[in-house]
Amino acid sequence: VAELIGHVGKAFGVAWSPILKSTVASSSDDHTARVWNIHSPGKHVVLQGHLEKVRALAWHHEVAYLLLSGSWDGCIRVWDVRGAGSCVRVVLDHHADVYGLSSHRERPFLFASSSRDTTLRFWRADVVTPDLMIRAIVTEDWVRGGVVGVPDECVRVETRAAMCGEESARVVKRMSECRDKVERALTLAQFLLPPDGLEELCNVVRSMVGKVPNMTPGRVVHGSSVAGVLLAEAAELEK
């Protein structure tokens, strides 16, 4: 179909964009990652900054122009691949080679990395696009508010960040079917934030607002009593 020529060292891996179907990233021993359009193989974006061989690659599932790379230099870099390409964030927490990077489309702002330092680490990618996260939380209509958009428009250099993956489209549909504000907030939180305790917290809020005990398998949780315990624990931590 196409031959992509440009690396000056061994090409190690490739990662197809989940949004831009003709776009693919490659990693190499030449310390670079590169982004290609298979319909224009003669042109590509060179992402320079790593000090060692580049191995791991992972595209953002919603923000089409964001690519993450991991290297033997122990560094993770987040790239904006629009235009000539630029590094927008550097993560230096690993102490050895970064072998793997991954995320799931249902939690697009949470990434996992693996390393020769024997650790698996989790990262929040929303810090790269804080404006998008704020707009997603406060905007009622994601389509009219520009929170979601069309892929070809979202990758223009002058365009502010927007989500254009398949899962955000499903979230828009689910939010339109929510029974109340608490369910809508839970739908948003499950998509935008790390999962720890989100569903439990929303269930407590719903039971407090509705004055109805929250029924869970094998037990009954009264929102008022749980809230009291949580407030007491918070006060204790502040001492």
Side-chain angles (χ1 to χ4, degrees):
V1 177
E3 185 177 13
L4 308 176
I5 301 174
H7 283 296
V8 295
K10 180 176 66 177
F12 183 83
V14 296
W16 287 94
S17 167
I19 301 173
L20 306 171
K21 303 306 181 183
S22 62
T23 300
V24 61
S26 60
S27 60
S28 170
D29 285 0
D30 65 8
H31 304 183
T32 71
R34 302 184 184 226
V35 179
W36 317 74
N37 185 316
I38 61 171
H39 299 311
S40 303
K43 299 179 180 179
H44 63 278
V45 178
V46 182
L47 305 175
Q48 295 178 304
H50 283 296
L51 303 177
E52 260 292 353
K53 300 173 181 178
V54 182
R55 290 293 181 256
L57 294 170
W59 287 96
H60 199 292
H61 282 283
E62 290 293 338
V63 184
Y65 57 79
L66 288 183
L67 173 72
L68 281 72
S69 63
S71 167
W72 279 16
D73 61 11
C75 173
I76 297 171
R77 289 180 176 266
V78 184
W79 306 92
D80 181 339
V81 304
R82 295 176 296 182
S86 61
C87 182
V88 295
R89 197 167 188 87
V90 180
V91 180
L92 298 168
D93 288 32
H94 277 298
H95 306 302
D97 315 358
V98 179
Y99 288 149
L101 288 165
S102 184
S103 71
H104 194 279
R105 67 175 185 275
E106 293 182 4
R107 297 276 186 184
F109 294 92
L110 183 67
F111 280 79
S113 61
S114 61
S115 168
R116 193 167 62 87
D117 65 11
T118 72
T119 67
L120 182 67
R121 301 179 186 237
F122 294 87
W123 316 92
R124 287 183 57 176
D126 55 290
V127 296
V128 181
T129 55
D131 172 66
L132 173 59
M133 183 65 65
I134 294 171
R135 286 187 285 116
I137 293 172
V138 302
T139 304
E140 289 288 334
D141 189 327
W142 278 13
V143 177
R144 292 183 179 180
V147 177
V148 295
V150 179
D152 289 342
E153 296 178 0
C154 292
V155 294
R156 293 176 181 171
V157 175
E158 69 279 4
T159 303
R160 63 181 181 175
M163 292 182 282
C164 49
E166 295 179 356
E167 195 62 27
S168 59
R170 296 189 186 99
V171 171
V172 170
K173 183 177 185 300
R174 288 201 299 270
M175 286 195 298
S176 69
E177 299 169 349
C178 289
R179 297 166 296 175
D180 52 42
K181 290 184 177 180
V182 176
E183 185 176 349
R184 184 181 187 277
L186 177 58
T187 301
L188 276 174
Q190 287 176 328
F191 183 60
L192 298 174
L193 303 174
D196 297 344
L198 287 173
E199 188 169 358
E200 291 81 357
L201 176 61
C202 286
N203 283 338
V204 169
V205 172
R206 181 179 286 112
S207 66
M208 291 179 68
V209 172
K211 307 296 183 183
V212 177
N214 173 36
M215 301 295 294
T216 58
R219 61 195 176 118
V220 178
V221 179
H222 290 272
S224 56
S225 61
V226 173
V229 172
L230 294 177
L231 289 172
E233 290 180 353
E236 188 66 28
L237 290 173
E238 291 179 355
K239 291 182 180 180

